[in-house]
Amino acid sequence: MSKGIIKTIVFGIVFVAAVIIFSFATNHTNEDLTTEMKEASFPVVSLYYEKEQVNELFGYKDEMNALYMRDSITPIGTDRILPVRIQTYGYRVDGLSYEIRSMDTSRLIVDQKVEDYTNEKNTVTADLTIENLLEEGQEYLMILKLTSGKETIRYYTRIIEPSDCYVKESIDFAKNFHDTSLNKDTAGTFATYVEPNASGDNSTLNKVDIHSTLNQISWADFKGEQLTQPTVSVKEINTSYNVILLDYIMTSAGDGEELEYYNVEEYYRVRYTNDRLYLLNYERNMSQIFRGENSNFYDNHIQLGIRDGEIQYKENENGNIVCFVQEGELWSYNANESRLSKVFGFRGYEGMDDRENNDAHDIRIIKTDEAGSVDFVVYGYMNRGDHEGEVGICVYHYDSVANTVEEELFIPSDKSYEVMKAELGRLMYENESGCFYIMMNGSVYQIDMKTLECKELVNGLAENGYAVSDSHRYVAYTKGEANQASAVSVLDLETGDTFEVSADAGNYIRPLGFMEDDFIYGEAKTDMVTVDTAGNTVYPMHCVRILATGEADHPQLKSYEKDGYYISGIEIKDYTIYLNRMQYNGVAYVEADQDTIMNREADTDELVTVASTVTEEKQTQYQLVLTSEEELTAKKLQTPEQIILEQSKDIAIEEGEHAPYYYAYARGRVLCVTENVSDAIDSANDNMGVVLDDSQKYIWKRAKKTLQSALTVTVGDADAGSSTIAKCMNAMLGREELNVGVQTLLDRGDTPQTVLTDTMQGKTVLDLTGCNLEEVLYYVNKGTPVFAMTSGTDAVLIVGYDVNSVTVFDPAAGSNKRMTLEEATDLFKQSGNVFLAYLRD
């Protein structure tokens, strides 16, 4: 054999050996660098009331800011024993203790170690003895602490010893109503509790309410079975009503006879009296859990099933790849490769673990590229994985080629998901340079995800002084005093560029919002922006303009202006701008009919669209429609591996001081967080909820007596000859035994609100301008009169009411007078609905 042949053979052997060794090393390295998401490990706590299981609690790894942990409220029996059952799932429990604090967390009432508990077969049970230190009818915060080695897991709930609240009866009613609705033969028995009318939507099973038909409430033609028993959650307890939630999973057969799963939540607002029970509100929400079965694909459609129509999705430029969010999970579909990827989700494929199915998180898709890779954010409570039991914002990158998900950044939070979502969900964006942007307490922060360096880009943003685009790419903001701005800066977070929009001469300018990425702003004449008698800024915008942010010269696309009409704000929905208009009646600016601006070019460039179909059994179902001419299939179903981090990606951002916030809650969820108490009350009223302040003090409830006898008020000698405004203020102060010459304070420039705030130490003074009469009667019911303007210079005090009328104190006459609700409503509305009230601490 020649030497050349021998060399060739040897070289080939060496080459093959090198390839094998390299391949082994590479595969071994990849194996070490990626892993599956860790399984959930934390125990679940269930509490009991009168032998009824209530309030399933999930554990927190870190100590949370207890001020913002008010998801559930647990009733305590008269024996002051709270039974606790802990499902450990194999987690070692070394100790159990609990704290009880005042709702503002300032006062520690109980700090008790539990000595007597049983721990058998992955279940810990204990009876917590609540010391006789709690006031009946008063809410407190309980923190249950479970220790294992050096680790402490905390569980949060409010507790109350209810009096005349009929909590058990309300729970029993909700469970009976639920059971009855599943049985067509007995469904008619709750006919007296529901109120079918035209407002009820009987075309969808996604949302059924008290105004739906009996047939719709009893599941119409849906052929489903209940998989899990309802979990009872109590959200509000008071003498006026109780709020009960039931959560469970339903199943049904799909088109291919595969099993479909649905998360269902039922909401009950119940008033129970000695005479009878009143169902004040009822709603059932049902959403399908996407499983990626072949029956989810037909023609060029992806069947998402029964859900709401607000679908979050993004497609690539060719429209052959689409990613979408459904029931807390992120999915990606590649039509060319018939490949479906479950990019992110806490829920496993086998069974339905309560911990994995916990819905206290959300996902925001930031962008997807041509290959199908996705940048996205998961924010809220982390059900499992490296951050199990933490609340925060986690930024991820999904690599569709490598089929991996990598954590790029984690920002922890010590607030509940609901509060964090309302406060921090206003801005979250990642650009191509690897920078992440977030807004906290009126500041915009930039975080370099490679170095974890954080810097503040913008600060001092007032609520009415900024707007964020739908994509979160653009932020428009004013500098300095928001109500006196002559220019708006528009920041492009992708490029870092900023351009300025200036008001016309003699005008102020205010950012209002974005239609997709087109900037909307309003202008008001400087001499028409004034401060009313109560101290509120009146900002009547005579015009609204829209300009293109994506074009170099930012041309104006549209302008709106109509003589005699002014704009107070806008709402944007389905590519339509709704203009909230007002008119000046010679005394005040009053509400006028809405007008609209339509975007007729919307949707024209979309390659993936949303469609809906209606069937007899499942009623309305939603689909994503691709442009593919071939029938869609999912031949491949894959779950990406997670890249193991070499170092922590955690970064903490210190929250600065902020203006007082008001929190509107309903069903245990935060509806809004705002500096404007009137906006919070409006939101809570629309959703039958409550309003709290930063210290967890109740500011407003949709609960009041039907009758309030007239409160006694008198005007002191110091203001006997003063204006009606001063007399009203004097009489309010007199109710609190304060004798102050109000007219002197007003003459030096103080407003009625500042007079009350400065004088009533220890009271919560509220500017309720913008609320309606029905809303402010809550404060009269609490025993405090409400100041109301009746013209530009005169005022009265609302001191009583019944179902048909209100009683006002007229300081000009020095006596009370009765007005019908219609008369009073119209009088106050024509005067701008300017109200002031206060609460005793």
Side-chain angles (χ1 to χ4, degrees), residues 479-500:
K479 299 176 182 178
E481 172 54 49
N483 292 321
Q484 298 177 1
S486 58
V488 172
S489 298
V490 182
L491 171 61
D492 182 347
L493 298 178
E494 186 60 50
T495 64
D497 296 334
T498 300
F499 68 90
E500 196 166 89

Side-chain angles (χ1 to χ4, degrees), residues 807-823:
T807 302
V808 299
F809 171 71
D810 181 1
S815 60
N816 292 345
K817 69 176 182 180
R818 181 171 293 182
M819 307 173 67
T820 67
L821 284 173
E822 292 77 11
E823 290 171 341

Side-chain angles (χ1 to χ4, degrees), residues 165-180:
C165 294
Y166 302 97
V167 180
K168 180 63 165 60
E169 291 84 350
S170 298
I171 293 173
D172 289 343
F173 170 81
K175 294 180 70 174
N176 181 62
F177 190 101
H178 162 78
D179 292 338
T180 304

